[in-house]
Amino acid sequence: MKALQILIVLAVGYLLGSVLPALIIGKMLNGVDIRKYGSGNPGTTNVLRTMGIGPAILVFTIDVLKGVVATLFAKIVMPDDVVLGVTLAGFAVICGHNWPLYFGFRGGKAVATSIGVALVATPVITLIVIALALIVLVIKRYMSLTSIVGSILYFLVILIFAREYWFLALIIMVVIIIRHRENIKRLLNGTERKIGERVKLQ
């Protein structure tokens, strides 16, 4: 029975994560594949640069909700082992976003989706980390740096206050850092774009 629960949680999480609103909205509003413009990433920041704040807010909201729904579903399916269920759902929905079944396994970086997962797992800690990460964004204006710092802070705070979710926090941190490896190179080279810079859709 537990094996079936795990399979259901993983399958639902992955399939839900594979829905990429940035690609869908890009096609609907502009008839473009957002992965061919700006940074090439189908996420909130690239949508903000290429299509503006309205579509970016919509993309961010849906991506967060993917993480929320996947983890809440896991809590329902695995009520006797919530931590395992939430961790598995988080892993699956993040993988789905990064390597989506419906879009040729070319996805985003799962920052917003990870926020959704973390909000269900550890809401208070997540809100505190978001507030701290936003300070980095205001000062440096690099979304990539903010995301990386936020994931590291989340892992460290989880180790202190909510150790049962340490593996989930580790997954989030490692995936975000790996998916931002090109951003890290650009940050070191001084060529990373800041928030507010626009890219025209041709």
Side-chain angles (χ1 to χ4, degrees):
M1 182 62 179
K2 190 167 184 178
L4 179 60
Q5 291 173 319
I6 290 173
L7 286 174
I8 291 172
V9 166
L10 288 173
V12 170
Y14 177 73
L15 293 175
L16 187 60
S18 291
V19 177
L20 298 185
L23 290 177
I24 297 170
I25 292 170
K27 286 287 187 181
M28 290 176 61
L29 296 183
N30 298 92
V32 299
D33 184 339
I34 195 69
R35 294 174 297 184
K36 296 179 180 178
Y37 299 90
S39 66
N41 181 59
T44 302
T45 304
N46 201 32
V47 171
L48 177 63
R49 290 195 185 110
T50 54
M51 291 191 287
I53 191 168
I57 291 173
L58 183 57
V59 167
F60 177 78
T61 302
I62 296 173
D63 278 339
V64 169
L65 285 175
K66 291 193 307 188
V68 169
V69 172
T71 44
L72 286 177
F73 177 76
K75 283 189 171 185
I76 295 171
V77 174
M78 301 180 66
D80 297 326
D81 203 342
V82 170
V83 173
L84 176 61
V86 167
T87 300
L88 291 172
F91 171 75
V93 74
I94 288 169
C95 284
H97 183 89
N98 287 331
W99 301 282
L101 178 65
Y102 319 124
F103 298 103
F105 303 100
R106 290 178 54 216
K109 298 174 182 176
V111 175
T113 299
S114 295
I115 289 174
V117 171
L119 280 171
V120 174
T122 55
V124 175
I125 289 174
T126 302
L127 291 173
I128 292 171
V129 170
I130 289 173
L132 294 173
L134 285 175
I135 295 173
V136 177
L137 181 61
V138 170
I139 295 172
K140 295 294 185 179
R141 293 180 54 215
Y142 291 117
M143 183 56 75
S144 56
L145 179 63
T146 301
S147 301
I148 293 166
V149 170
S151 69
I152 295 171
L153 281 175
Y154 182 67
F155 177 68
L156 294 176
V157 175
I158 286 295
L159 288 181
I160 298 171
F161 296 106
R163 290 184 183 178
E164 66 272 22
Y165 283 111
W166 74 270
F167 193 61
L168 174 63
L170 179 64
I171 290 171
I172 291 172
M173 180 181 69
V174 170
V175 170
I176 286 178
I177 290 174
I178 290 175
R179 295 295 284 176
H180 282 85
R181 59 190 181 278
E182 294 301 320
N183 301 84
I184 293 172
K185 291 178 183 177
R186 290 194 293 269
L187 284 167
L188 293 173
N189 293 333
T191 57
E192 179 76 336
R193 288 193 180 99
K194 294 185 177 183
I195 286 292
E197 297 181 22
R198 294 298 299 271
V199 175
K200 291 183 179 180
L201 292 177
Q202 300 296 332

